[in-house]
Amino acid sequence: MTETKTRTEPKRRRHVTALQRRRLRVPRTGLYEQAAARLRLLIVRGDLAPGQQLLETDLSDALGVSRTPLREALKQLASEGLVELRLNRSTIVAPLRRDELTELFEAVSGIERCAAELAATRMVARDVERLEALQDRIQWHHDRGELRDYFEVNQQIHGAIVGFARNAVLKATHDILLPRVERARFFALSADGRWDESVREHQEILSALKDGDADRAGRLLGHHVRRTGDIVADTLDVQAEDAGAAKARRNVRAIITRKAGL
């Protein structure tokens, strides 16, 4: 009996040690995730136009990855609604379709309105300070005409408000729709007058949140999101589609390789 116990102990120790090693290993970020992140940024900011064809050869060369991680990246972006995979294996940047955008912003408006109502009653002092600092930053970038920097902070504000609602289900639902919403928001900010209007609306939303006025905060943020959706839909006319088609003929490899930081 004693001999049997002695023989099994080393195996147990080896087994425990192996489990510990697996738990301590730091997971490596996959190449496909890095490729997806770079392509996502270019699509959201309009550098890769709606309807633009994405050839695997060009993408693989420009991103410096093989076909396998590239295809995984494209599948990820397709699940986010940013690209469309075709049966003949060609991939395009997902077009901006009026009906789909209307439904998207109806959903996001409801989610963010609910988030603002909850955040108004659940925010603590450090949350208010965080939003005030972000508001100062978007005003700074707006005054200097720095649209892309403004956009980054704008997205942080929306994400912060949803986070301050402290509702995990609400946040998870919002995260699923976020990539498609980001692209449309950037598109809307480029419209005449919307940038100035957006800054004013953000200031009003912040004021309502600081006052703890849940009804007003929810109403203002819901209107702000719907207004963005309306502007995108109104801008999607024949001229915009023609411009997108012309841009779609540009060389994808050149677009990716010349962007700063990519």
Side-chain angles (χ1 to χ4, degrees):
M1 188 72 176
T2 305
E3 183 180 354
T4 303
K5 183 178 179 181
T6 303
R7 288 176 180 175
T8 59
E9 281 180 350
K11 291 183 179 179
R12 287 178 184 167
R13 283 198 295 270
R14 286 197 297 271
H15 179 63
V16 171
T17 302
L19 285 176
Q20 289 173 339
R21 281 201 299 268
R22 283 199 292 271
R23 288 170 182 162
L24 290 172
R25 284 175 183 163
V26 178
R28 297 176 58 187
T29 301
L31 282 176
Y32 87 90
E33 293 174 333
Q34 297 177 44
R38 294 186 177 190
L39 290 173
R40 185 184 296 112
L41 183 63
L42 293 173
I43 293 171
V44 167
R45 292 183 171 182
D47 295 309
L48 294 176
Q52 184 158 356
Q53 187 175 21
L54 303 175
L55 299 178
E56 287 189 1
T57 303
D58 290 343
L59 292 176
S60 180
D61 181 63
L63 294 169
V65 299
S66 65
R67 296 288 185 90
T68 299
L70 174 61
R71 287 171 181 167
E72 290 301 313
L74 292 175
K75 288 178 184 178
Q76 175 64 38
L77 296 176
S79 73
E80 297 173 5
L82 293 179
V83 304
E84 293 182 356
L85 306 177
R86 304 292 180 90
L87 291 178
N88 62 359
R89 290 185 173 272
S90 67
T91 302
I92 64 169
V93 177
L96 291 169
R97 300 183 177 94
R98 179 185 292 269
D99 291 344
E100 292 178 3
L101 286 171
T102 298
E103 293 178 356
L104 174 65
F105 276 91
E106 284 177 350
V108 176
S109 172
I111 292 171
E112 294 201 12
R113 175 170 185 156
C114 180
E117 291 172 350
L118 294 173
T121 60
R122 296 177 180 179
M123 288 171 58
V124 296
R126 66 175 178 273
D127 299 335
V128 174
E129 293 173 0
R130 165 94 172 132
L131 286 180
E132 287 177 332
L134 290 172
Q135 182 66 31
D136 288 342
R137 286 176 61 193
I138 62 169
Q139 187 67 58
W140 170 277
H141 293 309
H142 170 265
D143 293 345
R144 285 156 183 76
E146 300 166 346
L147 178 60
R148 296 199 171 199
D149 292 324
Y150 173 95
F151 177 73
E152 294 299 329
V153 182
N154 175 72
Q155 290 303 100
Q156 292 177 40
I157 291 176
H158 284 268
I161 293 173
V162 174
F164 295 155
R166 291 176 170 83
N167 183 305
V169 175
L170 199 68
K171 185 179 185 305
T173 306
H174 187 259
D175 287 346
I176 292 172
L177 300 175
L178 194 57
R180 294 168 63 196
V181 174
E182 286 181 334
R183 181 165 70 136
R185 278 177 174 157
F186 191 84
F187 186 83
L189 282 175
S190 302
D192 290 341
R194 178 53 183 164
W195 195 3
D196 297 337
E197 189 179 60
S198 179
V199 174
R200 293 193 299 270
E201 290 172 358
H202 270 287
Q203 185 60 59
E204 293 173 355
I205 293 165
L206 174 59
S207 177
L209 288 170
K210 289 170 64 175
D211 292 341
D213 190 336
D215 289 340
R216 183 164 174 261
R219 186 174 65 254
L220 287 171
L221 186 52
H223 170 78
H224 173 74
V225 175
R226 287 195 309 274
R227 173 70 176 145
T228 299
D230 290 342
I231 289 175
V232 175
D234 290 343
T235 309
L236 291 178
D237 52 18
V238 176
Q239 288 77 15
E241 292 175 2
D242 288 344
K247 192 173 182 180
R249 291 190 289 269
R250 293 166 57 189
N251 187 285
V252 172
R253 187 182 309 181
I255 292 171
I256 295 175
T257 54
R258 75 163 176 268
K259 289 298 170 181
L262 296 183

